[in-house]
Each structure stands twice: as structure tokens, then as C-alpha cells.
Amino acid sequence: MKEALLIIDVQNDYFEGGACELHNAREAESHIADLIQESRKLGRHIIYIKHINQLDDDFFVEGTYGCEISDRIKPLPTDTVIVKYCPNSFLGTELNDCLRSLGVEKLIVCGMMTHMCVDTTVRAAMDHGYDVTLVANACATMDLTINGETIPAETVQKTYIASLAGIFAKIV
């Protein structure tokens, strides 16, 4: 089964000093770097997703440093970079056509934010018929607040990973 590594939104605004800092972003990025190295050795296709925010938010603003993919895992010219404008990496992008043209059947997914773009993309990948493996320690999220209660990032991470386990993805 032909595989591709799908790296979602590992952009500067998610790291220390960025406009939307995530919990354990550097740790996740370190695991992503390992996945990239392994994928290059295996000849696995590497596809980066880059989010450009079209809302009035202050992160991922097109043309800013924060919107750029982290230099520590920078794509090579042979890698594919796909720009998206919403959480679902398939919606309104050429991702599915790209994967089909490469003959990819299995996605190894990692990236940021677990509770938003990673979750949405993994679920959409299943809808498109892909076999998905989600690398949990190569994903990062943040504290979330609802009704005045803050849910710690560790709990958010575990909850979203658990909700994807089995039906939507194999978790490693």
C-alpha cells in the first residue's frame, strides 16, 4: 500500500513567541522531524499543509513570519506544499487529487492543532477512503475554555486522539 506523510500546519505562529502558541509544540515538531527523516529513507511522499487564515484572527496572516512553515522541518523542493484556508485539508484544495495521482492509499498524519485541523483532516481522509495512521506524539494542541472552564491541553490531546482511535485512524 503506497503511503504519504501528511504534515499539517507546522507553522511559526504555533511556537514560543508566536501568535497562537501550542502546548508541547517543540516536542511534537521533534517527532515530526523524525518522521520526515524516516519517510525520506523509505521514499515515502511528503506533503505539507500550510494554513492561511482568512478570518480576522491574528495568526497565520499571509505574508508574515508566523504563517511560514517552521524552518526546522522546512520542505525540500521535491516535497509537496498545499495551501488551505479552513481546518479540513481536503476542502477546497488539490490534496485528494494529488494523493490519487501519486497512488497513495495510506496516510501517516501528524501536525497541529490536534483538536482542529488534525481532527478534521483525519475524519475527512476516512471519508475519502484513505487508511490513516495518526502519530499522537507528533501532534500538538492547546488549553480550551468553555463556559468559564479551562480544559488542559493534555486532556484535550488525549480526548481527541481517543475519539479518532479505531474508526477514523490507527493511533501510534
Side-chain angles (χ1 to χ4, degrees):
M1 188 178 306
K2 202 164 190 181
E3 300 177 338
L5 176 63
L6 186 63
I7 304 166
I8 301 171
D9 301 350
V10 183
Q11 295 165 246
N12 293 321
D13 270 341
Y14 282 150
F15 294 94
E16 186 175 319
C20 187
E21 187 175 333
L22 300 183
H23 178 73
N24 287 337
R26 287 283 186 156
E27 182 181 324
E29 183 186 50
S30 174
H31 293 293
I32 293 167
D34 293 341
L35 289 168
I36 292 168
Q37 184 177 26
E38 173 191 44
S39 294
R40 293 202 194 294
K41 285 181 185 173
L42 295 173
R44 182 184 291 144
H45 295 286
I46 301 174
I47 301 171
Y48 290 79
I49 303 297
K50 178 181 176 182
H51 193 119
I52 295 177
N53 202 340
Q54 293 185 313
L55 303 174
D56 288 333
D57 290 326
D58 60 351
F59 71 101
F60 292 171
V61 176
E62 189 169 15
T64 65
Y65 172 77
C67 190
E68 296 307 312
I69 294 170
S70 169
D71 284 339
R72 294 174 297 278
I73 62 153
K74 196 170 189 116
L76 296 179
T78 54
D79 297 330
T80 301
V81 178
I82 294 176
V83 172
K84 68 178 177 66
Y85 300 96
C86 63
N88 179 348
S89 298
F90 289 92
L91 185 61
T93 73
E94 66 274 14
L95 178 58
N96 194 46
D97 290 340
C98 173
L99 294 169
R100 296 291 182 217
S101 72
L102 295 170
V104 171
E105 297 174 31
K106 180 177 182 177
L107 295 176
I108 297 150
V109 178
C110 59
M112 303 175 183
M113 292 192 276
T114 308
H115 72 277
M116 185 65 73
C117 298
V118 172
D119 176 74
T120 305
T121 297
V122 166
R123 290 172 188 272
M126 188 199 85
D127 291 343
H128 286 283
Y130 295 99
D131 180 358
V132 179
T133 296
L134 178 61
V135 184
N137 67 359
C139 296
T141 194
M142 64 194 306
D143 294 348
L144 296 179
T145 302
I146 186 162
N147 298 328
E149 179 184 354
T150 298
I151 304 158
E154 295 90 352
T155 302
V156 173
Q157 180 78 355
K158 288 176 187 175
T159 301
Y160 273 84
I161 297 296
S163 73
L164 293 171
I167 292 174
F168 297 101
K170 175 184 174 188
I171 308 299
V172 297

